[in-house]
């Protein structure tokens, strides 16, 4: 069933008229009509809003068969993604979309199967599902909730991808032209982020990954794509650099900050100097006039400076190979490894020889 018809059916099953549904969701009646007629694209924030009113999970709306892809990986032809959001909206991205989905489908099912073998499944839970985003203060509040629930405090996030993988988000890499940066979406109940591996800038990769997280989890009470993109950037900057940390650097006793200090912040928190400056603007530490002045200085310095600081992180998906190593080397109750070398080779698209060379015999065992 088409998604628009599915929405209409669920609305009618709940005994709601289009006007009542519009009132509860905050959309106009004409918006609801366009959704149900398939004339308006369904975004993640729309889906979240509908699911709250209908008292359903977003997955229950988009999947009419209630097939949980995460724990039933047998039908590989069933793989698809919904509510895809791009880091940078370009028509050319649609050229890559089907190709990318096809590319990651095997990787998706392989990690799901590996999680089943290892009995190590992580169900993603949205930490801010009850927060509606209408302005920048809501973004800051959402970040505070996430950092508290995920026990991050005000500390740097040393490995963004590792953090999100351990929360149940599946992250994959593809190699595409530089015009493609990233996208995110859902495969059933499973949130997915796809990154372009071509870009070597680690700070940008961290920012992009958190930008895509915003698309996955935030409920935006707006329907302006450009504004949503700005809020996603705001979220990414706030996650990387907590507001109190920046206020400590820009205290009331100072008129500015040195380039060397900005480099130090970048090295510690894995956020680009330009994103730090934007963060200062967002928090009201500097005004637009100061921002434009710094922008000119920044552009001039970039022509002469050989280095603008470095974050010594990696930011690569690691969960799959971590589980693979665990399955090959940890014995079960029968005294056998949970994963054979042959099965590991099949799942990883490696040879048995390479599997043994990479994972064999390097264990720390208890007596």
């Amino acid at each position: 069933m088409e998604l628009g018809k599915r929405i209409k059916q669920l609305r009618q099953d709940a005994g709601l008229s289009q006007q009542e549904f519009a009132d509860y969701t905050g959309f106009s009646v004409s918006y609801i009509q366009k959704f149900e007629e398939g004339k308006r694209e369904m975004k993640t924030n729309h889906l979240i809003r509908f699911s709250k009113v209908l008292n359903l999970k977003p997955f229950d709306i988009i999947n009419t068969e209630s097939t949980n892809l995460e724990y039933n990986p047998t039908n590989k032809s069933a793989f698809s993604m919904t509510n895809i959001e791009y880091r940078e909206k370009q028509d050319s991205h649609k050229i890559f979309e089907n190709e990318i989905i096809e590319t990651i489908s095997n990787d998706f099912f392989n990690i799901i199967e590996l999680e089943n073998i290892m009995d190590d499944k992580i169900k993603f839970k949205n930490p801010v599902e009850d927060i509606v985003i209408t302005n920048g203060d809501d973004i800051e509040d959402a970040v505070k909730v996430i950092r508290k629930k995920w026990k991050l405090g005000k500390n740097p996030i040393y490995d963004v991808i590792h953090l999100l993988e351990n929360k149940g988000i599946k992250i994959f890499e593809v190699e595409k032209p530089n015009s493609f940066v990233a996208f995110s979406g859902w495969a059933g109940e499973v949130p997915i982020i796809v990154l372009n591996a071509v870009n070597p800038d680690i700070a940008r990769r961290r920012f992009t990954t958190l930008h895509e997280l915003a698309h996955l989890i935030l409920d935006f009470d707006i329907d302006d794509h450009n504004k949503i993109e700005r809020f996603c950037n705001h979220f990414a900057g706030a996650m990387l650099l907590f507001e109190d940390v920046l206020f400590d650097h820009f205290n009331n006793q100072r008129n500015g900050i040195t380039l060397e200090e900005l480099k130090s912040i970048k090295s510690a928190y894995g956020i680009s100097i330009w994103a730090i400056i934007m963060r200062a603007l967002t928090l009201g530490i500097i005004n637009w006039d100061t921002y434009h002045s710094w922008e000119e200085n920044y552009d001039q310095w970039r022509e002469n400076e050989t280095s603008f600081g470095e974050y010594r992180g990696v930011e690569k998906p690691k969960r799959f190979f971590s589980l693979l190593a665990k399955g090959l080397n940890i014995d079960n109750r029968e005294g056998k490894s949970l994963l054979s070398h042959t099965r590991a080779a099949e799942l990883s698209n490696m040879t048995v020889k390479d599997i043994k060379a990479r994972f064999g015999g390097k264990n720390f065992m208890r007596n």
Side-chain angles (χ1 to χ4, degrees):
M1 180 183 295
E2 295 177 2
L3 186 54
K5 293 180 180 179
R6 173 72 170 161
I7 294 291
K8 181 177 180 179
Q9 175 189 308
L10 291 171
R11 172 181 64 76
Q12 292 174 337
D13 290 345
L16 297 173
S17 67
Q18 282 188 338
Q19 182 63 62
E20 290 171 327
F21 195 48
D23 291 340
Y24 287 133
T25 57
F27 296 114
S28 66
V29 173
S30 63
Y31 250 58
I32 299 301
Q33 290 174 339
K34 289 178 181 177
F35 282 131
E36 293 184 351
E37 293 170 1
K39 295 180 180 179
R40 189 165 194 89
E41 186 178 0
M42 186 79 64
K43 299 294 186 182
T44 299
N45 59 300
H46 301 146
L47 194 61
I48 292 173
R49 197 93 57 87
F50 289 163
S51 67
K52 288 178 179 178
V53 172
L54 296 169
N55 198 27
L56 296 169
K57 295 179 180 179
F59 166 76
D60 293 328
I61 294 177
I62 62 179
N63 195 317
T64 59
E65 301 298 326
S66 296
T67 302
N68 189 335
L69 289 175
E70 184 165 9
Y71 302 122
N72 293 282
T74 53
N75 183 13
K76 297 192 176 184
S77 64
F79 181 79
S80 62
M81 288 181 64
T82 56
N83 296 86
I84 293 175
E85 304 278 359
Y86 287 94
R87 170 70 176 85
E88 295 176 0
K89 205 75 171 179
Q90 294 185 18
D91 292 337
S92 61
H93 290 164
K94 286 291 182 182
I95 299 173
F96 304 132
E97 188 173 304
N98 291 336
E99 185 180 324
I100 290 172
I101 290 174
E102 182 178 351
T103 298
I104 69 170
S105 63
N106 281 336
D107 294 335
F108 174 84
F109 283 108
N110 286 343
I111 192 169
I112 297 309
E113 186 166 351
L114 188 54
E115 287 179 337
N116 284 330
I117 292 170
M118 297 299 300
D119 192 22
D120 190 349
K121 312 175 187 73
I122 305 174
K123 296 275 266 185
F124 178 73
K125 179 173 176 56
N126 187 345
V128 289
E129 60 185 357
D130 296 325
I131 296 179
V132 177
I133 305 297
T134 60
N135 54 50
D137 289 339
D138 294 332
I139 295 287
E140 298 291 335
D141 290 341
V143 167
K144 289 173 185 175
V145 170
I146 293 170
R147 279 186 161 269
K148 183 177 181 180
K149 288 186 176 181
W150 288 359
K151 297 180 171 57
L152 299 173
K154 302 176 183 179
N155 302 314
I157 302 174
Y158 295 107
D159 190 329
V160 169
I161 291 179
H162 179 72
L163 171 69
L164 299 190
E165 283 190 310
N166 283 338
K167 297 301 179 185
I169 297 175
K170 302 294 183 281
I171 301 180
F172 303 101
E173 290 183 319
V174 295
E175 293 188 359
K176 294 296 175 187
N178 285 327
S179 61
F180 171 73
V181 180
F183 71 58
S184 56
W186 295 80
E189 290 183 297
V190 186
I192 290 176
I193 294 175
V194 180
L195 303 170
N196 193 348
V198 171
N199 192 322
D201 189 326
I202 299 301
R204 187 184 184 197
R205 174 178 289 246
R206 288 161 58 81
F207 191 95
T208 294
T209 304
L210 289 169
H211 177 107
E212 293 304 327
L213 175 66
H215 277 303
L216 289 171
I217 67 175
L218 296 184
D219 179 6
F220 295 105
D221 191 20
I222 51 178
D223 197 50
D224 181 330
H225 171 76
N226 291 331
K227 196 169 185 179
I228 288 175
E229 286 299 302
R230 289 196 295 271
F231 278 152
C232 288
N233 286 339
H234 183 160
F235 174 86
M239 282 293 293
L240 289 172
L241 189 58
F242 194 67
E243 60 179 355
D244 289 357
V245 175
L246 200 54
F247 279 119
D248 286 343
H249 284 275
F250 289 91
N251 59 55
N252 292 328
Q253 308 302 317
R254 306 185 60 192
N255 291 325
I257 192 168
T258 68
L259 178 59
E260 288 304 313
E261 288 175 282
L262 293 180
K263 290 180 182 180
S264 177
I265 295 172
K266 176 179 179 178
S267 297
Y269 289 87
I271 179 172
S272 71
I273 289 177
W274 188 246
I276 299 170
I277 293 173
M278 288 301 300
R279 185 92 178 102
L281 176 65
T282 300
L283 291 173
I285 295 172
I286 61 174
N287 58 30
W288 277 102
D289 288 339
T290 303
Y291 165 78
H292 289 307
S293 174
W294 287 14
E295 182 181 28
E296 290 181 16
N297 290 338
Y298 179 80
D299 289 341
Q300 290 174 6
W301 291 337
R302 281 186 65 88
E303 295 179 4
N304 301 316
E305 289 282 335
T306 56
S307 172
F308 266 76
E310 182 181 3
Y311 182 73
R312 297 183 179 278
V314 178
E315 295 295 348
K316 303 283 285 184
K318 306 177 186 71
R319 179 166 166 78
F320 177 83
F321 285 106
S322 177
L323 286 174
L324 201 69
K326 197 174 179 182
L328 284 164
N329 295 300
I330 292 183
D331 292 346
N332 60 18
R333 292 178 181 177
E334 298 175 352
K336 297 180 180 179
S337 295
L338 296 175
L339 199 61
S340 69
H341 289 99
T342 300
R343 190 70 191 104
E346 292 172 349
L347 289 171
S348 63
N349 294 317
M350 296 171 65
T351 66
V352 171
K353 180 180 179 181
D354 288 341
I355 287 288
K356 289 180 178 179
R358 179 168 176 175
F359 301 104
K362 300 173 182 177
N363 307 321
F364 295 89
M365 305 300 292
R366 291 185 294 184
N367 294 328

